[in-house]
Amino acid sequence: MKSGSVVISKRIDKFFLKLNDIYLFVLRFFKEAFLPPYEFREVVNQCYELGVRSLPLISVTGFIIGIVFTNQSRPSLAEFGATSWLPALMAVAIIRALAPLVTALIASGRVASKIGAEIGSMKVSEQIDAMEVSAIKPFRFLVVTRVLATTLMIPALTIYTAFVSLLGSFININQREETSIITFFEQVFEAITYLDVFSSIIKAFFFGFTIGIVGCYKGYTSSNGTQGVGKAANTSVVIAMFLIFVEELLAMQIINAIRFQ
Amino acid sequence: MKEIFSKINHQHQVISIRGLKKSFDDFDVLKGVDMELRQGENLVVLGRSGTGKSVLIKIIAGLLKADEGTVNVLGQEITKISERKLDSIRLKLGFSFQNSALYDSMSVRENLEFPLKRHVKNLSRKEINSNVEMILEAVGLLQAIDQMPAELSGGQRKRIGIARTLILKPEIMLYDEPTAGLDPITCIEINKLINEVQARFHTSSIIITHDLTCAKTTGDRIMMLLDGQFRYNGTFADIFAHTEDERVKLFYDYNFVE
């Protein structure tokens, strides 16, 4: 029987080998992204598949979040007679945190799992090998295009989510406080700064990259037939979500350090 | 039995393998394999499941790396060449996968157009269409041109898989278990197609199989892989007519149950 220390040592080895594998995968992405032939058409296809097709879900979720957060924040402000601050509060909450985070989490569920399952099933059914033997670079065609698409589309979707959430928030405020749309958006733009907007967009780029690379890595390295495909889809979502929260935490520290300099 | 194809060039080897070894973890799959494929011939590699037949053609196609030995394909030592040179060799290889490996998200037409558009530049829409239609006609599936892979039967998928490799006019065809999982009638059709491809496109082929009917029908020459090495090399009759090897006898008896 193996002793506990041997088992632990093997697990540590395995962990670091995996980490090295992921590092090489990311490195390969950057290497191949800049090498011709460029798959522009496939990037556009993927932007449509992964970005545009996420719009209905993002619209509904973003809108509901705007309404719910406004409704939940109102009592706290009402205690101090400060409900007029609701548009400013919601603007800060939505632009700084909610829009990028909600977009990324929804995309993790929808996009990372889709990428993981799609590439995973191509891997186990030898479609990736078929590309390889046809001298078509599967990494460039499948991985680079999808990671670029998510990296470009998540920031765009974040801006859209912010707009839809603010719209939901406005409708709620308009009904209860009868605030006009002009007043609402005046307060919104007064409350947010360039740093809020740009930091959120940059954060969304990182979220998008994470979603794409995690989905592709899990799909590209999947094995064990259909079971492996299911596992790839599932772990893509879990790991992408976990990393997004870690990135959000790190980004918050960095942005706050800049803000309070 | 198939007549030996008259156009085989016995002097010219398109593939030459020497001392090829490949292991997975502690399991030695190929233990020093030597073989050659002559121009214009259909070479059948016979062997039981797990004997490394598919590993052999995956090494030839550059999908797996050899541990030891030399693999010369069309005059190039593929274990030592750059990725770019390997790609240029791959364009002359056609690989028909066991499960066809058709791109699920593309129609039959798109499956065939995909490699064509990437590797043959400046083709007009008309030329692409005529190429695709010609190849589909050759495999007898022109009517399936706008169908999706999921709508095709196993035999049709095999044919489309072969058609996709033929679109780039390869010099060498590698068939991985072409009749696996097919009914006997479809097997006969696929065997016939393999011979038609050889005759019409003048390809040299390696056919990996454990199906003796396929071997007998398509093979100009047969090599038998046993215990990680080629033990027999010759025509179907040479190997099976007077064999004393129990493993070969067992193989024959299993395939041709009286």
Side-chain angles (χ1 to χ4, degrees), chain B residues 96-113:
Chain B
S96 168
F97 286 84
Q98 188 170 348
N99 297 314
S100 309
L102 298 181
Y103 307 126
D104 291 333
S105 57
M106 301 181 194
S107 68
V108 167
R109 181 196 294 276
E110 289 164 339
N111 260 279
L112 269 69
E113 284 179 359

Side-chain angles (χ1 to χ4, degrees), chain A residues 180-193:
Chain A
S180 74
I181 192 159
I182 294 168
T183 313
F184 177 85
F185 278 101
E186 268 177 2
Q187 287 194 34
V188 165
F189 288 117
E190 264 176 35
I192 55 170
T193 61

